[in-house]
Amino acid sequence: MSHKTKRLWPLIRHDISYGIVLRWKYYAAALFIFILSSFVFAAHANHFLHSSGISGALGTFDFILNVFAGNKPFDASSQTGIKLSVLWLGFYAYLLSLTTFYASDDMKKSASSFILRVKSKVVWWAGKFIWCMLSVILYYVLFVLSACCASAAFGKLSALVNPYVCSEFFDINLHGASNEEIIVACLLLPFAVSLAVSSFHMMLSLVIRPIYSFILGICFIAAAAFRCHPMLIFNFTMAERNALFSPASSISVKNGLISAVCLLLFSFFTGAAIIKRKDII
């Protein structure tokens, strides 16, 4: 193990303890919301299946799509009003509230002592970056766990998607997409974007107040909800806009993954450059 890695471990342990374990109530609240929304969706979807005489059961990815389906872009000419996916917006707003504030708060409380111990501001930032990724991973694990529990209780524990439910509730035509393609587009891509966006707003909180970074993130989410454009990265988290289900769309898995990786790298190196110039000690 290298010297820098040895210096990083105490920071990671600190961040896991203070940034995750001691904040367990926030993650427990997220799990409760996930389970509650899954139960409500199961009641409506199973009622639809039974009343329509459809024999198929709900699968795990039906519950995942209940959040990640998103909504169609706003079209003023359609005269159908604004259709906003509250679950989709709430999922990412809550995630940003978990990851945006911690680094800035910890920088005020214990950054100076840890930087003196590890003798590197960049190592301190790397620890916060790893914490951010671990937080997003935990958030997604809780979400997938809730989807698995709900599908086991009210449907079938499998990666299959019910095409009738997709069409009725999410306005998604599977177009013969394979299970692997659905998993990548509807789970792995949103996860990659979440890692990138969370790290970006954590980095931004080093420059401006965390509350302003959070509000800016909410604005980005809202903008993506109303307008479909690859520059608005949250578009890649909505299955309804993915080219896998809407062939004419410019929102593809490949473009989304490239954007997420670029933003993730930009956030890390920009954050490292910012923290080097900060007078913390």
Side-chain angles (χ1 to χ4, degrees):
M1 186 181 294
S2 67
H3 182 57
K4 284 189 177 181
T5 305
K6 288 181 180 179
R7 289 188 293 170
L8 186 60
W9 275 115
L11 286 169
I12 295 174
R13 288 196 298 267
H14 167 81
D15 290 328
I16 291 175
S17 177
Y18 287 88
I20 295 179
V21 176
L22 292 182
R23 301 169 77 222
W24 67 269
K25 292 181 181 179
Y26 298 106
Y27 296 94
L31 180 60
F32 174 76
I33 295 170
F34 295 155
I35 293 174
L36 181 62
S37 62
S38 294
F39 283 5
V40 172
F41 169 69
H44 285 88
N46 277 326
H47 175 73
F48 161 72
L49 291 174
H50 294 154
S51 62
S52 302
I54 301 171
S55 58
L58 293 173
T60 303
F61 264 81
D62 290 313
F63 291 93
I64 290 175
L65 279 171
N66 184 41
V67 173
F68 291 157
N71 56 266
K72 299 292 185 185
F74 175 65
D75 185 2
S77 63
S78 65
Q79 298 182 344
T80 58
I82 299 173
K83 292 183 179 179
L84 180 65
S85 174
V86 177
L87 283 177
W88 173 83
L89 190 149
F91 181 91
Y92 290 104
Y94 195 90
L95 176 59
L96 286 183
S97 73
L98 288 175
T99 57
T100 300
F101 298 90
Y102 174 70
S104 178
D105 290 343
D106 192 69
M107 185 168 61
K108 298 174 184 176
K109 296 175 182 177
S110 58
S112 58
S113 61
F114 271 100
I115 289 172
L116 284 171
R117 286 168 58 185
V118 300
K119 300 178 181 178
S120 172
K121 293 179 181 180
V122 174
V123 171
W124 179 87
W125 170 245
K128 293 296 173 285
F129 205 80
I130 292 172
W131 165 83
C132 183
M133 291 190 286
L134 291 175
S135 297
V136 175
I137 290 170
L138 176 58
Y139 191 71
Y140 269 76
V141 167
L142 294 175
F143 172 61
V144 174
L145 180 63
S146 70
C148 290
C149 291
S151 60
F154 302 105
K156 184 178 180 181
L157 184 59
S158 71
L160 298 177
V161 182
N162 191 306
Y164 301 103
V165 171
C166 280
S167 178
E168 176 69 20
F169 287 86
F170 313 132
D171 196 21
I172 291 177
N173 190 327
L174 298 179
H175 292 295
S178 67
N179 285 346
E180 292 78 12
E181 289 175 322
I182 293 173
I183 291 171
V184 172
C186 301
L187 183 59
L188 296 185
L189 180 56
F191 172 69
V193 171
S194 295
L195 286 174
V197 172
S198 295
S199 63
F200 173 77
H201 284 280
M202 182 180 68
M203 176 273 295
L204 200 60
S205 71
L206 301 177
V207 182
I208 61 177
R209 289 187 177 184
I211 187 62
Y212 296 152
S213 177
F214 175 72
I215 292 172
L216 190 60
I218 299 299
C219 292
F220 287 147
I221 296 172
F226 289 99
R227 178 169 171 77
C228 184
H229 195 284
M231 290 298 292
L232 298 171
I233 196 170
F234 280 104
N235 274 288
F236 293 103
T237 67
M238 287 187 271
E240 282 196 20
R241 304 185 187 181
N242 197 288
L244 180 64
F245 310 115
S246 302
S249 174
S250 60
I251 307 301
S252 67
V253 171
K254 180 181 177 181
N255 291 340
L257 290 176
I258 291 173
S259 299
V261 170
C262 290
L263 184 59
L264 192 69
L265 293 174
F266 172 81
S267 300
F268 177 77
F269 289 109
T270 303
I274 291 170
I275 206 68
K276 277 183 179 180
R277 298 178 181 180
K278 272 194 172 290
D279 184 15
I280 299 173
I281 302 174

